[in-house]
Amino acid sequence: MMNMNVNTKNEKKMIKQYILYVVMAVMALSLATSCSDDEDVTPSNADENLFYPNAEDNSQLAQLKRDFKQKVGSYLLFNDTLSHVQNGVDAYGNPTYKTELVDVEYALVGSGLSHTHTYKYITDFAKQQKAADLVASKLAPHLGKAVPYSFLIVDSASEWTINDKGQRVLVRKDTYDDQYPHPQLLLGTRCYMVSIDGGAAFEDDGYFNDLFARIVKDKIGRMPADSLATFYSYSTKYYDMYYEDMGLTEEYTDEDFLTHGFFPSWDTEYFPYKKSDLEYYEKAVAKYTLESFTEKYGTYPLMMAKFKALRKACEGYGIVF
C-alpha cells in the first residue's frame, strides 16, 4: 500500500509538470507569432513630441517656437493644452476626447489637489513674439544649465483653492514677494510658467529681474545643507547673538552689522537668525553683479566672502550671474 501511494503521488506530480510545460510552450509560441518580424509593435505616437510643432506646420507661431528652442534650449508654449484628440464616443453617441495638459503646479503643491491654476492666453502673435523675445533675452540667459524643459508664457494666471464651504475661490496671500492670486511665475518640473501680467512685463524694466530673484530663491531653498555650509560658516558664531554678549553697546551702527557680515537691520538687540541672513543675501546675489557689490561693500571682508560663497553655490546649480 505504501509503495502504491508514493507512485500515485509521483505520477500526479509528473502530470502537473507536463501540463505546465505545455501551457508555457503554447504561450511562448503565441508571443513569437504576435511579435513576428513583419508586424510593427511600436506604440502609437511614440515619436510625437507634443511640445514642438510638427514638420508640416509652417505658420509664424511654429517658426517662433523653433527659433526659441534653438536659441534658448527650452520648448515654447502659449497654451497648457498639449493635445486634445477625439478617441471615441460615449454610450449616447457623444464624442469623447483624450486631453494632455502641462501640469505646471504638480511640483508646487504637495497633493496637487488643494490648489489649481488657470490661465489667460496670449493670442496675438505680435505679443507672443515680444513676450518670447523678453524671456529669451532677459530671463533664460541667467538660468544656464538650469533652463527648464519648457516655458509656458501666458497673459495672466490665477490660483484657486477650495474653501471650507466647498466653493472654488481665488487664493489670497498677504506676502510681499508674490502677486497672488495672480502669480507671475510658477516653477514646475517640466515647465516654468511666466505671466506677462496683462502687459506689465512690457513696461517694467525690472520685471524679469524680479522673476530671476524668485528663481534664485527657489534654487537656494532646494539646496542641501552642505551646499550652504561655506556661506553659513562666516557668521555662525554671530547668529542670534545679543549685542551686549559681544561687548557692543545698544548704540549699534550700520558699521557694526557690516563688519560682522550682516546687512543692517532694524533690530535693536541681536544679530539676525540664519534664515533672515540667507534671505538678505538671496536678494543680493540676484540684484548685484560682483563688480557692483564690490563697489558698495568691498571694504567689508565678511560681506564679500558671504556674497561670493552664495554665488558659487548657485552657480553649482546652473545659475548664471
Side-chain angles (χ1 to χ4, degrees):
M1 278 301 278
M2 291 293 294
N3 289 336
M4 289 181 64
N5 288 337
V6 171
N7 290 339
T8 301
K9 290 180 180 179
N10 288 337
E11 289 173 358
K12 289 182 178 180
K13 182 177 180 181
M14 292 176 63
I15 292 173
K16 288 181 180 179
Q17 289 178 339
Y18 176 75
I19 293 173
L20 178 62
Y21 292 150
V22 171
V23 170
M24 292 177 64
V26 170
M27 291 177 63
L29 179 61
S30 174
L31 182 62
T33 302
S34 63
C35 297
S36 64
D37 293 339
D38 297 331
E39 185 174 355
D40 184 9
V41 295
T42 304
S44 61
N45 300 324
D47 297 326
E48 185 178 6
N49 184 350
L50 300 178
F51 286 80
Y52 201 62
N54 60 56
E56 292 74 29
D57 189 346
N58 296 313
S59 65
Q60 286 182 307
L61 181 57
Q63 191 56 49
L64 175 62
K65 291 181 176 182
R66 295 186 185 102
D67 292 343
F68 187 90
K69 180 66 169 69
Q70 183 177 11
K71 182 177 181 179
V72 173
S74 300
Y75 293 107
L76 174 63
L77 305 172
F78 289 103
N79 191 307
D80 62 328
T81 300
L82 295 176
S83 68
H84 181 66
V85 181
Q86 183 177 347
N87 62 351
V89 294
D90 61 19
Y92 301 97
N94 299 314
T96 59
Y97 295 89
K98 178 183 178 182
T99 301
E100 184 170 349
L101 303 175
V102 177
D103 193 3
V104 181
E105 61 265 29
Y106 176 79
L108 298 177
V109 183
S111 66
L113 298 177
S114 60
H115 289 211
T116 57
H117 294 91
T118 58
Y119 311 105
K120 179 181 178 182
Y121 304 120
I122 306 172
T123 56
D124 178 73
F125 178 74
K127 289 183 178 179
Q128 290 176 333
Q129 185 170 37
K130 188 172 183 179
D133 289 344
L134 286 172
V135 170
S137 62
K138 291 185 175 292
L139 186 60
H142 291 295
L143 303 183
K145 66 180 182 181
V147 70
Y149 183 79
S150 62
F151 280 102
L152 168 64
I153 307 178
V154 300
D155 182 78
S156 62
S158 297
E159 183 170 349
W160 305 82
T161 189
I162 304 298
N163 65 14
D164 54 5
K165 297 180 181 179
Q167 299 169 324
R168 185 170 177 258
V169 295
L170 287 170
V171 171
R172 297 290 179 182
K173 293 184 181 180
D174 185 18
T175 60
Y176 176 77
D177 290 331
D178 296 317
Q179 305 298 315
Y180 289 95
H182 303 293
Q184 299 166 338
L185 181 71
L186 298 175
L187 306 176
T189 53
R190 297 185 77 191
C191 184
Y192 283 7
M193 186 286 297
V194 177
S195 164
I196 62 171
D197 202 12
F202 299 159
E203 309 296 333
D204 183 0
D205 290 338
Y207 190 88
F208 287 95
N209 292 336
D210 292 341
L211 297 190
F212 175 58
R214 296 179 199 178
I215 293 174
V216 169
K217 181 179 179 65
D218 177 78
K219 290 292 182 184
I220 293 174
R222 297 173 185 272
M223 289 182 187
D226 58 350
S227 295
L228 297 172
T230 301
F231 168 79
Y232 285 131
S233 68
Y234 293 104
S235 296
T236 296
K237 61 183 179 181
Y238 303 131
Y239 287 130
D240 196 25
M241 284 288 294
Y242 283 88
Y243 304 142
E244 61 183 30
D245 293 338
M246 300 181 63
L248 299 174
T249 67
E250 292 185 3
E251 297 298 326
Y252 72 100
T253 65
D254 289 352
E255 189 78 11
D256 292 325
F257 276 97
L258 295 169
T259 299
H260 289 85
F262 297 109
F263 288 96
S265 171
W266 56 269
D267 197 275
T268 59
E269 296 181 356
Y270 50 83
F271 285 122
Y273 290 96
K274 290 174 65 175
K275 181 180 179 181
S276 298
D277 187 36
L278 181 61
E279 288 175 349
Y280 277 116
Y281 275 92
E282 285 173 351
K283 295 176 182 177
V285 295
K287 176 181 179 181
Y288 292 99
T289 64
L290 180 58
E291 292 74 20
S292 62
F293 192 85
T294 302
E295 183 178 348
K296 190 168 185 177
Y297 299 105
T299 57
Y300 303 100
L302 283 181
M303 295 289 292
M304 292 302 305
K306 290 168 70 174
F307 181 81
K308 291 178 179 179
L310 192 56
R311 274 176 60 104
K312 185 176 181 180
C314 292
E315 290 168 347
Y317 285 82
I319 296 296
V320 176
F321 293 104

